Structure formats: structure tokens, C-alpha cells
Amino acid sequence: MSAAHNTAVSFETDLLERRRQWRTARLSLPLRTDEDVVYLRKHVREHAVAIGLSLVDQTKLVTAASELARNTIKYGGGGDVHLDDLLDGLKKGIGLLFVDNGPGIPDLDLALRDGYTTGGGLGLGLSGSKRLCDEFEIDTRPGEGTAVSVVKWKR
């Protein structure tokens, strides 16, 4: 994890409190470096194993977390991620909320299309993450920032 977490993310979004009634724990981590992405992947895997996600669902969630974390760093200039343990009745899940103060996404519909990229990659980060998770939401405002929320529920 990066030593410096001195830049607080101030992007205001309703997604920060979404699913609050189901949250049993929240771990907040900075996303500034590749080392932070590795640290996040480790935590996501540990939480996924702890609630009994299948190996396939663990892999899907860790992959989505990695993609969204890298987007937060590359396009948002760094930010924070909130890892939530969720419990809805007897249903357990993991929620991830990525928040940055970056430039926002000017054309969200375009950004969610497979193959669209501004960074030279495959253009599957947002759209791929959406397919890998059970729930997916974005709040973005040009000039203010972006928040991306994903949830994976135990089946």
C-alpha cells in the first residue's frame, strides 16, 4: 500500500451510502500506485474466500477490482476504494466502490462500449467489469470525478 494517503477524495456521490443497510464492515484503501492495486486484489480475494464465493466468482470479482482500480489510477489520477462486506438477509456479498476526483467521464455511453479506449488498451475495463459483477453503477460528472460501484453476491 502506498505510504502517502494525503490526498483525500472529495467527490460527493450518493453511491457512498448505497447499500448501507446491508453493510457489516467497510475497509477503505488508497489507490495511487500499482502496489495499491496488488494490495486491493489480496483483500478482495480474502473477503471473497471468507464469504464462500466460488473460485469462478472470486476470479471475476478480483478481475473487476483490478480493472477498476487501474482505471481509477490511470484516468482519475488516483483515488480511494471502499471494500464492503454485505449481508442482505441470509445473502452475503462484497461491494466495491471506487471514487476519484478526476476529470469525470464526458460520454458514459461511449465509455461503456466494448472496445472504446482513450488509453490504448483493449477498451474492456468498464464494460468487462459490468459483465463480471452482479450489480454495477456509475456516478460521474465532468470536472468533478467518478464513482463506480460493483457488487458480487454469493450464489
Side-chain angles (χ1 to χ4, degrees):
M1 182 171 76
S2 64
H5 185 210
N6 47 9
T7 310
V9 175
S10 60
F11 180 64
E12 294 292 325
T13 176
D14 292 339
L15 294 179
L16 282 166
E17 293 306 315
R18 188 78 41 96
R19 299 178 195 86
R20 183 180 194 174
Q21 71 274 22
W22 301 322
R23 188 183 322 138
T24 60
R26 171 170 272 182
L27 174 65
S28 298
L29 302 168
L31 291 172
R32 307 284 186 276
T33 67
D34 287 341
E35 184 178 275
D36 294 337
V37 176
V38 172
Y39 193 68
L40 172 63
R41 289 174 56 95
K42 173 185 170 289
H43 278 286
V44 170
R45 175 86 55 198
E46 288 171 356
H47 284 247
V49 168
I51 69 164
L53 285 182
S54 70
L55 183 57
V56 169
D57 282 346
Q58 289 174 39
T59 302
K60 287 179 179 181
L61 185 60
V62 169
T63 300
S66 185
E67 287 294 320
L68 294 171
R70 290 184 195 288
N71 280 0
T72 299
I73 294 168
K74 184 173 184 176
Y75 301 109
D80 296 322
V81 60
H82 306 285
L83 191 159
D84 295 334
D85 293 331
L86 304 172
L87 183 62
D88 180 8
L90 296 177
K91 185 168 71 167
K92 293 180 180 180
I94 296 173
L96 295 167
L97 176 62
F98 299 83
V99 185
D100 67 59
N101 288 329
I105 302 171
D107 188 339
L108 187 55
D109 290 334
L110 183 60
L112 285 168
R113 285 192 199 147
D114 284 349
Y116 176 77
T117 181
T118 59
L122 296 176
L124 297 172
L126 284 178
S127 61
S129 296
K130 184 176 182 178
R131 281 192 302 276
L132 292 170
C133 295
D134 300 320
E135 297 178 24
F136 180 93
E137 293 179 88
I138 295 182
D139 181 9
T140 186
R141 291 185 293 279
E144 294 183 42
T146 300
V148 180
S149 172
V150 296
V151 175
K152 192 72 174 163
W153 293 104
K154 183 178 186 294
R155 301 184 196 288

